[in-house]
Amino acid sequence: MTRAMPGVLTQRRADGAEERIQLRQAVTTIGRSDGCTVVIPLPNVSRLHARIELQHDRYVLFDAGSANGTFVNGKRIEQDYKLNTGDEIWLGSGEVALRFTDPEETLIGQPSLGAAPLFIDEDARAVKVYGVPVQLSPLEYGLLAYLAHTPGVVCTRADCFLAVWGQPYDQATCEDALNACITKLRRNIRTAAESADQQAPAITTIQRVGFRLDTDVVFAPRDKRPAPAQDLARAH
């Protein structure tokens, strides 16, 4: 089937640059072999690691019997998987990550032009940027949710780390983890914003102090139903 706008894989290289790969073929093969459509010459990637097929206008991911497995959003796939905008594909491990975007899916599902720059549903732990769903790890979601409750206010590194990891912040042992989390969070937000053809909501770094969310946030109404009995017991 001919598409006006093919799906896109975005790969972040070791030097920090991003490479966008358009899925123009009916079948896109990914692996270490030079014969693959997308060649990733790394030892943990199999010669033919995975493939993506265009089926009935949807992109479907298959593992090709790889040695180290194919993962979507951190979960290993055992059968075919229908890709959605924002899905992150790992080949063997998180060291090889490809972000999937389907421009036509985004156009079909995009809400009105008045969509909020940042929307958070705390009950569902779901985030949207200009109406586009964002796939976040639990740590990334926790950091964003913490910053979102005080937009425009600087949150210290110590406070951020305590809120997300539940442990006191020690620069020598915690700085790298916090920096990695904020980097991935910004990248995922930027990818969703680009899908909506919008400027990414800004998370500003205040050198040697912390971070500040510089955008308006809309929260979904909280679920007012009573907590399950086991949750109430756990709280006590």
Side-chain angles (χ1 to χ4, degrees):
M1 178 181 293
T2 302
R3 281 174 136 247
M5 294 180 290
V8 176
L9 293 178
T10 302
Q11 180 185 10
R12 180 178 290 273
R13 300 198 298 263
D15 60 3
E18 290 188 345
E19 179 182 1
R20 291 168 59 84
I21 305 160
Q22 292 189 328
L23 304 176
R24 295 189 176 278
Q25 303 181 24
V27 178
T28 299
T29 53
I30 308 170
R32 196 175 73 246
S33 170
D34 291 338
C36 291
T37 313
V38 180
V39 180
I40 302 178
L42 294 176
N44 61 320
V45 177
S46 296
R47 290 180 58 80
L48 175 58
H49 197 106
R51 71 182 189 277
I52 298 175
E53 296 183 5
L54 182 58
Q55 298 182 355
H56 307 293
D57 211 32
R58 286 292 302 273
Y59 289 96
V60 185
L61 173 68
F62 298 84
D63 180 77
S66 65
N68 295 313
T70 301
F71 300 75
V72 177
N73 303 325
K75 182 178 180 180
R76 186 167 185 166
I77 63 170
E78 303 296 341
Q79 55 189 0
D80 59 287
Y81 177 89
K82 291 182 179 179
L83 291 166
N84 299 291
T85 292
D87 282 341
E88 186 167 273
I89 303 167
W90 293 358
L91 304 179
S93 72
E95 296 179 4
V96 184
L98 302 166
R99 175 72 60 173
F100 174 79
T101 305
D102 185 346
E104 292 192 359
E105 172 194 328
T106 301
L107 289 175
I108 293 170
Q110 193 171 346
S112 67
L113 296 177
L118 185 60
F119 172 86
I120 299 178
D121 184 337
E122 293 181 289
D123 290 319
R125 298 180 68 84
V127 176
K128 293 183 179 181
V129 172
Y130 295 103
V132 178
V134 186
Q135 295 288 343
L136 299 177
S137 71
L139 292 177
E140 292 163 30
Y141 173 83
L143 181 55
L144 178 62
Y146 180 69
L147 296 173
H149 278 284
T150 54
V153 176
V154 177
C155 298
T156 67
R157 285 177 170 270
D159 286 345
C160 290
F161 198 86
L162 182 61
V164 178
W165 278 266
Q167 300 175 9
Y169 179 75
D170 176 76
Q171 183 175 356
T173 59
C174 304
E175 183 176 24
D176 288 346
L178 182 55
N179 286 344
C181 186
I182 199 76
T183 297
K184 292 178 180 178
L185 174 59
R186 285 185 176 127
R187 181 188 66 192
N188 292 334
I189 288 176
R190 182 176 66 250
T191 298
E194 289 174 350
S195 298
D197 197 24
Q198 297 283 350
Q199 188 74 24
I203 301 176
T204 303
T205 296
I206 310 301
Q207 293 296 330
R208 295 184 295 278
V209 179
F211 308 101
R212 183 183 66 224
L213 180 64
D214 290 322
T215 191
D216 294 330
V217 184
V218 174
F219 288 93
R222 296 303 302 267
D223 191 342
K224 300 301 184 182
R225 291 174 296 179
Q230 59 267 31
D231 291 347
L232 291 174
R234 194 179 299 123
H236 293 81

